[in-house]
Amino acid sequence: MNKNTFTLIDNRDQTEYEYPILGASRGPQAVDMSKFYQESGLFSYDPGFTSTANCSSEITFINGEKGELRYRGHPIEELATKHNYLDVCYLLLHNKLPSKEEKVAFDLELRHRAFLPEGLRNLYDSFPDNAHPMSILSAATTALSTFYYEHLSLETQEDYYVMAHRIIAKIPTIAAFAYRKSIGASYIYPDIDKSFTENFLYMLRAYPGGKLKLTPNGHQEIKDIEIKALDTIFTLHADHEQNASTTVVRSVGSTGAHPYVAISSGISALWGRAHGGANESVIEQLRLIGSVENVEKYIAKAKDPNDPFRLMGFGHRVYKNFDPRAKILKQMQVELSKELNLDSELMQIAQKIESIALSDEYFIERKLYPNIDFYSGVILTSLKIPREMFTPIFVIGRTVGWITQWIESKQNPKAKIVRPRQLYTGE
Ligand code: SDX
């Protein structure tokens, strides 16, 4: 009778170790190895956690082979086309899409919570004008915890929701203020008459006094198509199971630190160009390549094992097929290219890279496909968003995922402090 267990045999002395197989509602099952060291005196060795589940979760599911992504069971394609970002925030946090009344109440709450404590503004003055917005975002989010120490002791579910809604609502303002600081412009406060996504574009673009650019036909408007494009980008970035920055947020959460310093740690981890920072690096790289004629040369560099050059926006730890988010953004690029006059030169270089890489043995055998960051930069550029704000936009989208994962880890009665071991090879 085949028991639902997994047996390991130590061939040095034929000892057998038997462990339960844990069922999954979707995707791979897992062998419960938690007693392995205690029983065998051995560690499992898996740098980068390529084969390790470090938690169980009900939030987001990815099937890397099929290029499938679901938030609370809903396919990303459905959410990106039929719902907006606030629906997705509500779905992730509350495990259900909001009713009409719930949506109105949620929207209004976030509008009123978008303002920063006035004292936080002084922090911005301590940064040089050329400070990267990601460093300001990380510092300001940690500083935000000092204004809301009560979130160190969350009792009721309502406490958790207030804490989560607050950070989701304030991150766009923190990011917009960081941008305004970097251009030496005064801060534009949130406008409670504007929706979440429109408000962010408004806080980036408005002139002191709060008016948008004046043209012979009156004040410029923020176009619906721009709002929809950015809103979809937020949705596509909302969560992504146990990626590097989410793992950091859960780890910081496991020590009992304030939720906002856990989010700040996630912001710092996301900044790396191997992770969320890739979207900024993709545009840098397309500009470095400079023309379609140069693409072959850079593809050769990316393939050269002795050259550290990597094709930014390509490859993924989980997706060994097209990143479904990249597919949606690629479609959006086509739709927006006319309406938002996307930079055709950059798009042509990107398309050339994609066509060569997808037919090249090096990329095929390593299953390297374009990921979300490969396409987001061209669209954000067309929204006149400066490159150093690309990763802050990833932060705005991902904050709801981080805080939802943090809440799930805190409310897990079996949660333990994250404390892996090592294979010691020193003296
Ligand atoms: C994000 O995890 C998530 O979910 C992240 C994310 C999210 O939503 O949270 O999806 C967001 O971070 C997307 C990824 C953005 N990063 C980039 O685009 C940077 C470029 N990509 C690579 O650095 C890399 O592909 C990673 C970091 C994304 C994944 O790295 P892995 O899984 O550890 O793979 P690896 O480094 O072991 O590479 C496997 C092979 C190696 O070749 P060999 O040693 O076998 O010869 O593929 C090669 C690598 O050299 N390779 C690349 C490459 N990516 C991997 N070669 C050239 N260009 C690349 N981009």
Side-chain angles (χ1 to χ4, degrees):
M1 184 265 283
N2 68 327
K3 296 177 286 182
N4 200 23
T5 62
F6 191 86
T7 302
L8 293 168
I9 298 173
D10 184 339
N11 291 316
R12 295 171 299 180
D13 58 8
Q14 301 314 309
T15 312
E16 289 194 2
Y17 301 95
E18 190 176 36
Y19 299 105
I21 292 176
L22 304 175
S25 54
R26 290 180 192 273
Q29 300 184 337
V31 179
D32 181 349
M33 300 289 286
S34 42
K35 299 240 182 326
F36 181 60
Y37 170 60
Q38 182 189 328
E39 290 170 359
S40 71
L42 296 165
F43 292 143
S44 63
Y45 184 68
D46 181 15
F49 301 141
T50 52
S51 306
T52 296
N54 80 334
C55 65
S56 65
S57 179
E58 301 176 352
I59 300 167
T60 293
F61 174 73
I62 303 173
N63 179 322
E65 277 57 46
K66 282 177 29 191
E68 179 187 1
L69 168 61
R70 292 168 181 266
Y71 296 157
R72 298 288 190 184
H74 293 257
I76 191 67
E77 294 79 5
E78 169 207 313
L79 295 172
T81 50
K82 298 196 176 67
H83 295 277
N84 74 5
Y85 178 65
L86 253 47
D87 291 333
V88 167
C89 288
Y90 195 94
L91 170 67
L92 284 167
L93 272 171
H94 297 266
N95 194 12
K96 73 180 193 69
L97 284 163
S99 65
K100 209 159 148 299
E101 298 71 26
E102 287 163 339
K103 171 82 178 283
V104 168
F106 184 57
D107 182 338
L108 285 178
E109 182 184 345
L110 294 192
R111 289 178 191 229
H112 292 90
R113 289 194 187 281
F115 297 87
L116 303 183
E118 200 54 23
L120 193 61
R121 279 184 36 166
N122 305 327
L123 178 77
Y124 287 76
D125 297 337
S126 61
F127 290 95
D129 282 351
N130 63 352
H132 194 289
M134 284 297 283
S135 41
I136 299 178
L137 252 179
S138 174
T141 304
T142 289
L144 195 68
S145 69
T146 64
F147 293 89
Y148 301 107
Y149 269 139
E150 67 270 28
H151 293 333
L152 262 174
S153 47
L154 301 164
E155 260 105 45
T156 66
Q157 193 57 35
E158 189 50 28
D159 291 348
Y160 280 92
Y161 286 145
V162 167
M163 177 278 295
H165 297 171
R166 195 168 248 158
I167 190 71
I168 292 166
K170 290 182 186 334
I171 283 283
T173 312
I174 293 176
F177 278 26
Y179 170 64
R180 301 291 291 198
K181 158 82 191 169
S182 73
I183 58 172
S186 59
Y187 304 120
I188 297 297
Y189 281 55
D191 175 351
I192 53 178
D193 293 333
K194 290 180 170 47
S195 69
F196 181 93
T197 301
E198 182 183 5
N199 206 8
F200 178 67
L201 289 170
Y202 166 70
M203 291 190 284
L204 292 185
R205 294 183 186 173
Y207 285 73
K211 292 259 196 276
L212 288 169
K213 188 172 183 175
L214 187 57
T215 70
N217 314 323
H219 287 286
Q220 232 170 29
E221 292 291 310
I222 297 175
K223 299 191 191 91
D224 288 346
I225 188 149
E226 295 180 293
I227 299 167
K228 173 79 184 106
L230 184 56
D231 197 83
T232 304
I233 284 177
F234 286 151
T235 288
L236 296 176
H237 287 85
D239 194 46
H240 215 235
E241 62 137 275
Q242 306 312 315
N243 58 84
S245 51
T246 298
T247 301
V248 163
V249 169
R250 279 179 172 258
S251 300
V252 172
S254 76
T255 69
H258 192 286
Y260 294 172
V261 298
I263 297 296
S264 172
S265 312
I267 293 169
S268 302
L270 187 77
W271 193 5
R273 62 199 305 258
H275 192 9
N279 54 17
E280 183 177 342
S281 309
V282 165
I283 292 296
E284 253 168 85
Q285 201 165 83
L286 293 178
R287 295 223 162 98
L288 172 78
I289 293 171
S291 73
V292 167
E293 293 65 44
N294 290 340
V295 166
E296 301 264 0
K297 182 175 80 174
Y298 281 90
I299 295 265
K301 281 171 65 68
K303 291 164 57 178
D304 178 354
N306 303 315
D307 189 329
F309 179 84
R310 281 201 164 182
L311 217 45
M312 289 290 108
F314 257 77
H316 197 277
R317 170 62 61 74
V318 177
Y319 290 123
K320 300 306 170 194
N321 193 322
F322 239 90
D323 179 335
R325 305 167 298 177
K327 261 189 190 162
I328 293 168
L329 284 177
K330 188 176 175 184
Q331 181 50 36
M332 262 173 69
Q333 262 189 8
V334 172
E335 286 154 18
L336 294 175
S337 53
K338 292 176 279 303
E339 310 257 355
L340 292 180
N341 62 358
L342 265 53
D343 183 324
S344 55
E345 173 79 8
L346 284 186
M347 275 180 69
Q348 280 161 25
I349 297 170
Q351 283 157 2
K352 180 81 173 166
I353 291 171
E354 186 185 340
S355 64
I356 296 178
L358 293 183
S359 55
D360 182 297
E361 206 36 51
Y362 172 92
F363 294 90
I364 292 169
E365 74 183 54
R366 291 169 179 78
K367 299 186 176 178
L368 302 177
Y369 288 85
N371 59 50
I372 187 166
D373 296 306
F374 190 68
Y375 298 99
S376 55
V378 173
I379 294 172
L380 292 173
T381 303
S382 74
L383 297 178
K384 299 187 279 299
I385 288 175
R387 210 175 60 212
E388 63 276 5
M389 287 301 288
F390 288 4
T391 312
I393 280 174
F394 195 143
V395 169
I396 293 170
R398 184 56 55 88
T399 293
V400 63
W402 283 330
I403 204 66
T404 303
Q405 297 268 354
W406 183 91
I407 291 172
E408 184 180 67
S409 68
K410 297 302 280 187
Q411 293 182 339
N412 175 353
K414 296 200 199 108
K416 302 168 80 69
I417 189 166
V418 174
R419 205 273 182 230
R421 301 304 303 275
Q422 63 180 11
L423 177 69
Y424 182 69
T425 56
E427 289 304 310

